[in-house]
Structure formats: C-alpha cells, structure tokens
Amino acid sequence: MRAEEGQKRRLMKQAFEARRRFRARHRTYRGETSPLKHVGVPEGLYEKCKRCRERFVKDDILENKMVCPSCDSHFRLRAIDRLNMTVDEGTFIEKGLGYISLNPLFQEDYEQKLAENRERTGADEAFIYGYGEIKGIPCVLGVLDSHFMMGSMGSVVGEKVVKSVEYALVRRLPLVLFIASGGARMQEGIYSLMQMAKTAGAIQKLNQQDLLYISILTHPTTGGVSASFASLGDIILAEPEALIGFAGPRVIKQTIKQELPEGFQSAEFLLEKGMLDKIVHRHAMKDTLYRLLYLHEKGARL
Ligand SMILES: [Zn+2]
C-alpha cells in the first residue's frame, strides 16, 4: 500500500514538473523570440561529421541547417531546430500540452530514463505538434525527435499524433509530420503496439475529409512508426540517405533466407522502387513544402 502511495506521489510530482516546463516553453513560443534562442545550442561547442570526420563549430553548422558543408551529410535534428527551420518565425503555437508518459507495465528504470531524457532534451515527450505557418500558409506541424528515447512511439506519442490529426480535422488544415523514430517503445509493450492501429485509423479520417497529409521521413524512420502513420502520407518525402525500414537487415535475412541488395533501406533505393515521392535536400525543404501546400490550397501552380 505504501509503495503504491509512493508511486502515486512520484507521478504527481513529475506531472507538476512537466506542467511547469510546458508553461515556460509555451510563453516563449508566443513571444517575439524563436524557441531556439530560448533552448540554446545543445551541449558541446563542436559537431563532428560522422561520415567525413570533419569538425565544425556548432553555431555554424546550425546556420547551415545541420548539413555537413564538406560532404552534404544530413545530421540528426532536434524537434525544436526542425520547427525553427520550417515555420515562419513567431507563428508556431504548440498544442497538446500536459501529456507525460506513465509506466503502465512497471518496467524497471523506465521512469528514470524518461526523466533523464526530459532533462537532457528539454522536451516532455518525443513528439511535438502545433499550429504553424509556412511562408504564410497555415498548417498543423508535428515533429518526432530522435533525441528523446530514439523517437520511439509509446502511448503519449501515439495519443499526441492522433491529437494533431484531430486538430487538423477541426481547423480543416493540412497536416505536415516530420518523422524520425526507432519504432515502438519497448518499455510500453502492447500499449505501444496499439498506437500503430490507433494512428493509422486517425490518418484514415483525414483521408475521408479530403485533407492533405504530407509525411517527411528523416533519418532514421524504422519499426512500428514506419509501419503505421509514417507511410500513410498522401505525399511522402524523405531526406537524402535517410534509413527507412521496418526491421533490421539481419532479422529480414534470417526470416526470408535471401541475400539482400546493397543499401536496400536507404531513401534513394525506396524512391527507385516507388515507395517515396521525392527526396528533398534539407535546404530546399521549406520551399518544397510551401509549393505543395500552395498547390493544394489554391489549386494552381506557382
Ligand atoms: Zn561530412
């Protein structure tokens, strides 16, 4: 009995902390400063390119949209940076505040891991969504952040994705989702898997209402997320060289007992096979999204 009370008190404390952070963050979004300035540059002054091994000053590389100036490799982005690059300054209003993950299966260390991730990223969960404008065109934007527990989908991420769809339905706005995820959240077991059906069902409602849904697959898009709402976009874009797939190569090889082609889970390979509509460089992403949204809103070419 005492253990239960302790757990309850701990969760209430977490919820209180989360709400306090939400309020602080929400104020920044509404103010004249961009969220990036508030959160600041992540720890460490330098960023090393994983491919060409060159080192860059973090501010410079952020200025270059986290794309390596030497080899054009796209680095992983935090949700807040992605939003800054995509929406018009000062237009983003975060929605769906106040959700925090619980520990439904009483997994060891899960609560601690969540707390660490919240602390490190300054976000409360792996998914952020809200209202924003892209070159003046209003839309609902959502971003999965792979820095928060690999962007894995637990009950809260699933619920927030559904909320973003419902918000788009109510406001009759197009939905734009940036995906980066390791898949289902292991610690939530079946609750996590249930989110696949739930999010796919929600996207179906968008279809029925003839609303546009653009999904952008970034590195990495794998597991349960790639097998549900990520692949259901009316238009599916991807970033260059993004890893996109359901299971890892070794698992597939063991299951189908066949040799796998080179680079079969890259965005380029999937484009060739017709699974994607276009690969878009990060520098051209905002313009491409604007063109697509404009085309669907006004029904005319630019
Ligand atoms: Zn490089």
Side-chain angles (χ1 to χ4, degrees):
M1 196 63 197
R2 185 170 284 178
E4 263 177 38
E5 266 178 29
Q7 157 108 347
K8 203 171 155 194
R9 211 171 301 140
R10 208 161 53 245
L11 290 175
M12 277 174 69
K13 202 174 157 196
Q14 276 180 14
F16 181 76
E17 266 296 298
R19 266 201 300 277
R20 189 183 60 75
R21 271 201 308 277
F22 277 135
R23 276 201 291 270
R25 202 141 52 92
H26 204 46
R27 271 200 297 276
T28 327
Y29 284 136
R30 286 178 169 281
E32 68 275 359
T33 52
S34 68
L36 180 66
K37 281 177 199 147
H38 166 68
V39 176
V41 176
E43 69 281 353
L45 275 173
Y46 293 95
E47 186 82 32
K48 193 173 176 182
C49 175
K50 284 194 179 110
R51 197 191 314 151
C52 70
R53 304 259 155 217
E54 249 188 86
R55 282 158 71 102
F56 305 96
V57 178
K58 202 138 205 173
D59 282 348
D60 294 349
I61 200 94
L62 200 55
E63 195 87 339
N64 199 33
K65 303 198 171 179
M66 297 296 272
V67 176
C68 174
S70 312
C71 72
D72 217 27
S73 163
H74 286 46
F75 299 175
R76 285 200 290 154
L77 269 185
R78 299 181 312 155
I80 214 103
D81 297 337
R82 176 74 72 182
L83 283 170
N84 268 340
M85 285 171 199
T86 314
V87 297
D88 301 340
E89 198 171 332
T91 60
F92 187 73
I93 300 166
E94 189 179 352
K95 300 282 173 186
L97 304 174
Y99 290 90
I100 58 157
S101 289
L102 301 180
N103 188 1
L105 301 179
F106 303 103
Q107 293 289 305
E108 224 179 293
D109 296 340
Y110 183 37
E111 280 166 50
Q112 196 193 334
K113 228 177 223 175
L114 283 169
E116 280 169 14
N117 275 278
R118 274 190 217 118
E119 191 63 36
R120 190 166 46 77
T121 58
D124 299 285
E125 251 302 332
F127 186 73
I128 292 178
Y129 81 94
Y131 169 92
E133 288 171 19
I134 297 177
K135 295 194 177 189
I137 299 188
C139 58
V140 179
L141 278 130
V143 186
L144 260 172
D145 192 340
S146 61
H147 291 85
F148 192 104
M149 294 196 77
M150 266 317 288
S152 54
M153 177 164 65
S155 331
V156 169
V157 171
E159 177 67 17
K160 285 183 89 172
V161 170
V162 171
K163 287 276 170 204
S164 70
V165 172
E166 284 171 352
Y167 182 58
L169 282 167
V170 170
R171 296 284 308 267
R172 291 207 59 82
L173 289 173
L175 177 69
V176 178
L177 295 186
F178 286 92
I179 322 279
S181 176
R185 189 166 294 174
M186 304 306 281
Q187 291 88 343
E188 292 191 24
I190 188 68
Y191 292 103
S192 175
L193 293 181
M194 276 158 59
Q195 309 308 316
M196 290 172 68
K198 184 167 136 180
T199 50
I203 299 294
Q204 181 61 20
K205 280 191 203 158
L206 274 184
N207 278 340
Q208 286 163 353
Q209 295 286 318
D210 295 331
L211 288 170
L212 177 67
Y213 165 40
I214 302 174
S215 70
I216 300 116
L217 313 183
T218 68
H219 181 78
T221 298
T222 55
V225 170
S226 78
S228 59
F229 65 96
S231 306
L232 294 172
D234 298 312
I235 297 168
I236 306 177
L237 305 177
E239 283 194 334
E241 293 172 31
L243 172 80
I244 302 162
F246 181 62
R250 207 183 319 149
V251 177
I252 301 176
K253 208 169 165 183
Q254 279 166 5
T255 313
I256 63 170
K257 296 188 171 51
Q258 275 180 29
E259 278 304 313
L260 302 164
E262 188 77 25
F264 74 106
Q265 287 181 322
S266 69
E268 287 72 14
F269 187 90
L270 293 175
L271 179 72
E272 205 179 287
K273 302 289 173 197
M275 302 285 286
L276 300 175
D277 293 303
K278 196 175 168 55
I279 293 174
V280 182
H281 194 282
R282 196 174 283 163
H283 289 162
M285 190 58 84
K286 187 171 178 174
D287 280 339
T288 308
L289 285 174
Y290 169 66
R291 226 171 297 139
L292 288 170
L293 292 171
Y294 185 92
L295 183 67
H296 282 81
E297 192 184 336
K298 317 269 183 193
R301 275 181 186 275
L302 278 177

